[in-house]
């Protein structure tokens, strides 16, 4: 497969670039011959962003693991699930509006009897100790996302 390169910044709106990257990414997903496709990453796009269709383009083709577990739209507004601007994050917590920018998507990609579903979704707090002052700092300005995704395919 061809690797995809993406550039994103929180400092300006680059919705058109992100949407083009989503189209390119989805072209690869649609060409995949795998029975299941799992896609995760930092998309820097929220479903609530006006004028940015990145999330919605991917959601048309794949299932969002977070939404599968947290079916309520209220979960999108709960800062406890924010992957950017989370209060525990030492870079963005309390400085940026909490929002979800990081996702795990999945898709059944076979006509044969098969299922894929999310059983668990979690945001672990990944941090390290800064040697110069022994303070705890986040590893990134985003929170990681983890999920247990189950795959089942009927044996032939």
């Amino acid at each position: 497969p061809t690797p995809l390169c993406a550039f994103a910044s929180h400092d300006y709106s680059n919705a058109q670039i992100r949407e083009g990257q989503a189209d390119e990414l989805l072209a690869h997903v649609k060409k995949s011959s795998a029975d299941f496709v799992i896609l995760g990453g930092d998309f820097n796009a929220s479903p609530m962003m006006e004028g940015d269709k990145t999330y919605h383009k991917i959601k048309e083709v794949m299932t969002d693991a977070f939404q599968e577990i947290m079916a309520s739209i209220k979960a999108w507004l709960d800062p406890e699930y924010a992957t950017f601007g989370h209060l525990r994050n030492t870079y963005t917590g309390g400085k940026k509006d909490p929002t979800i920018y990081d996702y795990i998507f999945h898709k059944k990609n076979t006509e044969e009897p098969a299922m894929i579903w999310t059983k668990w979704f979690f945001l672990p707090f990944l941090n390290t100790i800064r040697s110069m002052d022994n303070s705890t700092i986040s590893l990134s300005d985003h929170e990681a996302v983890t999920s247990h995704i189950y795959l089942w395919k009927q044996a032939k």
Side-chain angles (χ1 to χ4, degrees):
T2 305
L4 298 175
C5 297
F7 173 80
S9 171
H10 300 288
D11 297 331
Y12 65 94
S13 174
N14 59 358
Q16 191 173 15
I17 293 168
R18 277 194 303 271
E19 289 176 29
Q21 291 169 339
D23 290 337
E24 185 178 344
L25 183 62
L26 288 172
H28 287 280
V29 168
K30 290 174 183 176
K31 285 184 207 173
S32 174
S33 60
D35 291 335
F36 304 98
V37 178
I38 298 173
L39 169 66
D42 169 5
F43 291 86
N44 277 347
S46 164
M48 314 279 208
M49 291 172 83
E50 286 190 36
D52 189 328
K53 306 271 187 268
T54 303
Y55 173 85
H56 300 287
K57 285 182 174 204
I58 298 169
K59 184 79 169 71
E60 284 177 17
V61 177
M62 304 183 81
T63 299
D64 178 350
F66 175 77
Q67 280 298 96
E68 191 172 22
I69 294 291
M70 308 290 187
S72 166
I73 192 66
K74 291 178 187 172
W76 284 114
L77 305 175
D78 187 340
E80 188 61 29
Y81 298 109
T83 63
F84 182 76
H86 196 290
L87 285 177
R88 69 183 176 198
N89 190 287
T90 59
Y91 298 110
T92 59
K95 300 172 191 117
K96 301 287 184 175
D97 290 334
T99 190
I100 298 174
Y101 283 157
D102 305 82
Y103 305 93
I104 299 172
F105 294 98
H106 63 77
K107 176 184 192 246
K108 179 184 105 149
N109 203 38
T110 179
E111 296 299 318
E112 297 176 34
M115 293 172 45
I116 182 170
W117 70 97
T118 306
K119 185 69 174 169
W120 183 76
F121 191 93
F122 183 67
L123 276 67
F125 182 40
L126 302 179
N127 59 63
T128 190
I129 304 297
R130 186 175 19 212
S131 62
M132 64 187 203
D133 62 4
N134 285 334
S135 62
T136 300
I137 59 170
S138 301
L139 291 180
S140 171
D141 62 339
H142 288 245
E143 301 305 307
V145 291
T146 61
S147 187
H148 289 184
I149 297 177
Y150 289 78
L151 312 170
W152 172 86
K153 184 177 172 192
Q154 186 171 2
K156 292 182 180 182

